[in-house]
Amino acid sequence: MKQELTVALVGNPNSGKTSLFNALTGLNYKVSNFPGTTVEKKTGSTKLNEDVTAQIIDLPGTYSLYPKSADELVTYELLRNKSETNFPDLVLFIADASNLKRNLLLLTQVADLGVPVVLALNMVDLAERKGIFYDEQILSEALNIPVLSINARKRTGVKEIKEKLLNEHARNRVKYFSLDFLDTKFLDELSDFTDKRNHYAALQYAINAAHLISTKSKYIREIFDKYQFDARAFQEKEILERYHLIDDAVRLSRRQKPGTHARSFSQKADKILTHRFAGITIFLGLLFLVFQAIFSWSVLPMEWVEIGFVKSSEWVERTLPAGVLNDLLVHGVLAGLSGVMVFLPQIIILFAFIAILEDVGYMARVGFIMDRIMRPFGMNGKSIVPLISGMACAVPSIMATRSIENKKERLITILVTPLMSCSARLPVYTLLIAMLIPEDAKWGPFNLHGIVLMLMYLLGFAAALFSAFIFKFFIKAERKNFFLMELPSYKLPIVHNLLITLYDKGAAFVWGAGKIIVAVSIILWALASFGPTNSMKRIDEKYITLAMEANQPYTLEELATQKNTEKLQASYAGEFGRLIEPVIKPIGFDWKIGIALLTSLAAREVFVGTMSTIYSVGGDVDDLHSIRNKMSNEKDPVTGKPIFSIAAVLSLMVFYAFALQCMSTVSVVQTETKSWKWATIQFVYMTALAYLSSLLVFTMLS
């Protein structure tokens, strides 16, 4: 008979949960949100045998069942609430064998909630380098739970884990901490309001309720007062008693190899990489290399993608009968998609570097060395992780601010993170930099494109710090906060995990951006191809007459181009663009750019797709060259000067560096702050900053 178990993957941060999740599930997973939250939930399946499948839930890392952040609260809520639909049949607890004592505090708390537990000792190779070994059998007897050693990064021990999960899910539950010293009536009364299943679960809920669940905290405080229960004293007693048990278990099972107390590689490396001056210099040097690689390594794959779309467009144009459908596919859908998808190789390279830095353990060091810099701006070292991750995407980065305990520092980080140049801006920057600087331009041995791109990212970071400094004076602090961050050991990245991450990020970009781009491209094509009947009819009649004139100076191809341009200006899109042109003309933008600014509110990368669609509709029907060439050749019909002058291109780059052209970001800010107030403030201040900065740049350079 087929059976399905629910297994929760639990552990401290940096214990290797994600590596084990990937090893167990591979690509057989999905990402969603925990009910009632924006915390991402990874669930995947793995077959334990022919009849039993395990659904694996990767829970956010936490140090104890006294949560201090939104991520930790999700783990606590799922484990303590048996009525939860995803309540696990069993917990697979993954612990860092090189720091076992600290990890076991959470394990004993989880077991006392009444959930069967299997302990997987991970990173045993790192522990062995320190000369630390554990006798699994003795540790298992001391803790009274099954124990096995694994190396999740090398995928060793996965088969044994599946066997343990299969055999241990019906095991009797262990209790590590006794509540016999507390009044039974007190516990029963608490259970009436909280959790009748388990006295410890009820007490945990009550202690956390005062600052987590406000609707019931009043009743719980009354019970505390009635029985004179001191929550702080209880927590101290609980933790001390648990560590007595943990100390005994670790002492009995641990074996220390003589002469292995020398400093580890991580400690030696940190003497340099976390140095207050050398650390920052190395970090900036790494960023410089990343942006050089983005341009240098992506040249060939970008050309392949561009050629592929050109060939596809030519094939569709030749194969389908001439008409509306042909025009829609070639100059609408394919033109819009090609404008963005050509930059996918650069985005994958950016994601790869960020994933490698995180996997190696370097990102935590960046937080440590940047804490001193971030403090004067109302943030702390933990803020740098969402900010740097914002180079990939602002949405998950804003969600990552939940690890920041201080509400003021978290709110400031949320408000300024979208100023970091995300991967959606990368196509815009790449397109505009290519129009500004020749492809073979060098500064010594370095690609000038990469240098300019890095400057744009540094501009976004500088704007984030400036904005944070201003917000610091307007947002009140509830309490003083101290910076605590664990520095994990350095590890070599695992190719399998990296490939899964890149597939996940690349697919999210292609499907997420692709759906928006196709929808916008179809709408834009329709708006740019059709207009008021009388206007379109007059233009057709005008060019029929011109074509029949014997002495007219234009070729038929030139007449076709002029006709398409005039029809685009007379279309619904053209009328709309000219309506907003007076507002954007002072910063160097024409009506075509104005249309792209508005459509890219859906997502920044839509800008390039929009320009591709507009110039495809308005240009030569036989011209299937890249959008870069079409934009470079665009002239002002009045002055005859290039539309995309140096001043206009730089103005546009600055506008996109600061503007909040992403409705997904607005939505997630509202969800995270639980207020439209901060989402609105963020949108308004970033739009104003973008407009005023572009006005300054265009005015100075014109």
Side-chain angles (χ1 to χ4, degrees), residues 357-541:
L357 292 177
E358 288 178 342
D359 209 19
V360 165
Y362 181 70
M363 289 294 268
R365 271 75 183 179
V366 174
F368 177 78
I369 62 178
M370 294 295 289
D371 182 63
R372 188 187 300 269
I373 295 174
M374 307 300 284
R375 286 284 171 188
F377 299 96
M379 298 182 283
N380 68 30
K382 285 187 178 180
S383 300
I384 197 66
V385 176
L387 289 176
I388 296 298
S389 300
M391 291 164 54
C393 181
V395 173
S397 302
I398 288 170
M399 293 162 65
T401 61
R402 285 187 292 261
S403 64
I404 303 172
E405 293 88 357
N406 184 280
K407 288 186 178 180
K408 175 179 178 177
E409 292 172 349
R410 182 180 179 229
L411 180 57
I412 291 175
T413 307
I414 287 173
L415 290 174
V416 304
T417 292
L419 286 167
M420 299 297 292
S421 291
C422 63
S423 60
R425 290 182 174 105
L426 189 54
V428 182
Y429 289 161
T430 303
L431 173 65
L432 297 176
I433 290 171
M435 294 175 62
L436 201 63
I437 301 169
E439 285 186 21
D440 56 351
K442 301 281 186 181
W443 184 63
F446 302 111
N447 186 309
L448 197 55
H449 284 201
I451 294 174
V452 175
L453 182 63
M454 181 176 176
L455 291 175
M456 293 306 301
Y457 275 77
L458 291 178
L459 176 64
F461 183 61
L465 291 182
F466 172 76
S467 302
F469 183 75
I470 300 300
F471 281 123
K472 182 178 76 167
F473 297 104
F474 292 96
I475 300 173
K476 294 181 180 179
E478 294 182 356
R479 58 184 172 85
K480 190 174 181 180
N481 190 49
F482 298 95
F483 174 59
L484 295 172
M485 176 175 277
E486 180 184 5
L487 298 182
S489 299
Y490 290 104
K491 312 174 195 71
L492 288 173
I494 299 299
V495 175
H496 176 262
N497 292 344
L498 180 61
L499 291 177
I500 288 177
T501 299
L502 293 184
Y503 173 84
D504 191 20
K505 300 293 186 183
F509 174 79
V510 170
W511 293 113
K515 287 184 291 186
I516 297 172
I517 292 163
V518 168
V520 170
S521 295
I522 291 172
I523 294 169
L524 270 176
W525 172 84
L527 292 175
S529 299
F530 302 100
T533 306
N534 291 337
S535 299
M536 293 297 190
K537 187 177 179 181
R538 280 198 302 271
I539 294 171
D540 285 333
E541 291 173 350

Side-chain angles (χ1 to χ4, degrees), residues 256-314:
Q256 179 75 50
K257 188 176 180 180
T260 53
H261 293 283
R263 287 191 304 164
S264 67
F265 170 79
S266 293
Q267 290 172 322
K268 294 175 182 176
D270 281 341
K271 293 286 287 183
I272 300 171
L273 295 178
T274 62
H275 189 274
R276 59 186 302 183
F277 299 119
I280 294 175
T281 305
I282 292 169
F283 174 56
L284 292 175
L286 280 173
L287 284 184
F288 181 79
L289 292 176
V290 167
F291 295 121
Q292 285 293 308
I294 285 174
F295 274 97
S296 301
W297 297 355
S298 64
V299 173
L300 277 179
M302 286 180 72
E303 287 180 359
W304 295 337
V305 175
E306 192 172 58
I307 291 169
F309 270 103
V310 168
K311 296 295 184 186
S312 298
S313 298
E314 289 174 345

Side-chain angles (χ1 to χ4, degrees), residues 482-687:
F482 298 95
F483 174 59
L484 295 172
M485 176 175 277
E486 180 184 5
L487 298 182
S489 299
Y490 290 104
K491 312 174 195 71
L492 288 173
I494 299 299
V495 175
H496 176 262
N497 292 344
L498 180 61
L499 291 177
I500 288 177
T501 299
L502 293 184
Y503 173 84
D504 191 20
K505 300 293 186 183
F509 174 79
V510 170
W511 293 113
K515 287 184 291 186
I516 297 172
I517 292 163
V518 168
V520 170
S521 295
I522 291 172
I523 294 169
L524 270 176
W525 172 84
L527 292 175
S529 299
F530 302 100
T533 306
N534 291 337
S535 299
M536 293 297 190
K537 187 177 179 181
R538 280 198 302 271
I539 294 171
D540 285 333
E541 291 173 350
K542 171 185 173 182
Y543 280 93
I544 289 173
T545 304
L546 283 173
M548 294 174 64
E549 291 180 2
N551 58 349
Q552 60 92 11
Y554 302 107
T555 64
L556 292 178
E557 289 78 11
E558 289 172 335
L559 284 176
T561 300
Q562 291 178 16
K563 175 184 173 182
N564 288 334
T565 302
E566 282 194 32
K567 292 187 80 168
L568 177 62
Q569 291 175 332
S571 68
Y572 295 118
E575 288 191 347
F576 183 73
R578 286 198 301 277
L579 182 67
I580 64 172
E581 192 173 40
V583 178
I584 59 176
K585 194 71 174 177
I587 57 177
F589 305 162
D590 69 349
W591 61 273
K592 293 181 182 178
I593 298 174
I595 295 172
L597 292 181
L598 289 173
T599 56
S600 62
L601 284 171
R604 295 179 182 97
E605 60 269 38
V606 174
F607 170 85
V608 182
T610 299
M611 297 305 287
S612 297
T613 301
I614 288 175
Y615 279 102
S616 180
V617 172
D620 186 345
V621 293
D622 295 322
D623 181 12
L624 296 175
H625 291 96
S626 69
I627 178 60
R628 182 173 62 247
N629 294 335
K630 295 175 184 178
M631 291 172 65
S632 297
N633 296 328
E634 182 75 356
K635 305 290 184 184
D636 188 309
V638 178
T639 64
K641 295 180 179 179
I643 291 289
F644 291 93
S645 63
I646 293 176
V649 170
L650 288 174
S651 173
L652 192 52
M653 288 171 66
V654 168
F655 186 90
Y656 268 93
F658 299 151
L660 184 54
Q661 299 290 98
C662 180
M663 290 301 100
S664 297
T665 301
V666 175
S667 175
V668 79
V669 169
Q670 186 277 328
T671 304
E672 291 292 319
T673 62
K674 296 180 174 60
S675 170
W676 280 108
K677 168 188 170 184
W678 294 111
T680 304
I681 287 173
Q682 185 183 58
F683 182 80
V684 170
Y685 99 79
M686 288 184 67
T687 302

Side-chain angles (χ1 to χ4, degrees), residues 100 104 107-108 111 119 134-147 171 174-177 241-242 244-255:
L100 183 59
L104 292 183
L107 178 140
T108 61
L119 171 60
Y134 288 97
D135 187 310
E136 292 178 22
Q137 185 174 348
I138 293 175
L139 183 61
S140 178
E141 291 172 356
L143 295 173
N144 196 22
I145 60 170
V147 177
R171 184 182 174 90
V174 185
K175 293 194 83 63
Y176 292 106
F177 183 69
E241 284 200 16
R242 289 187 187 280
H244 285 315
L245 182 149
I246 291 166
D247 286 341
D248 289 341
V250 170
R251 177 176 50 79
L252 289 170
S253 59
R254 175 170 165 154
R255 305 288 182 265

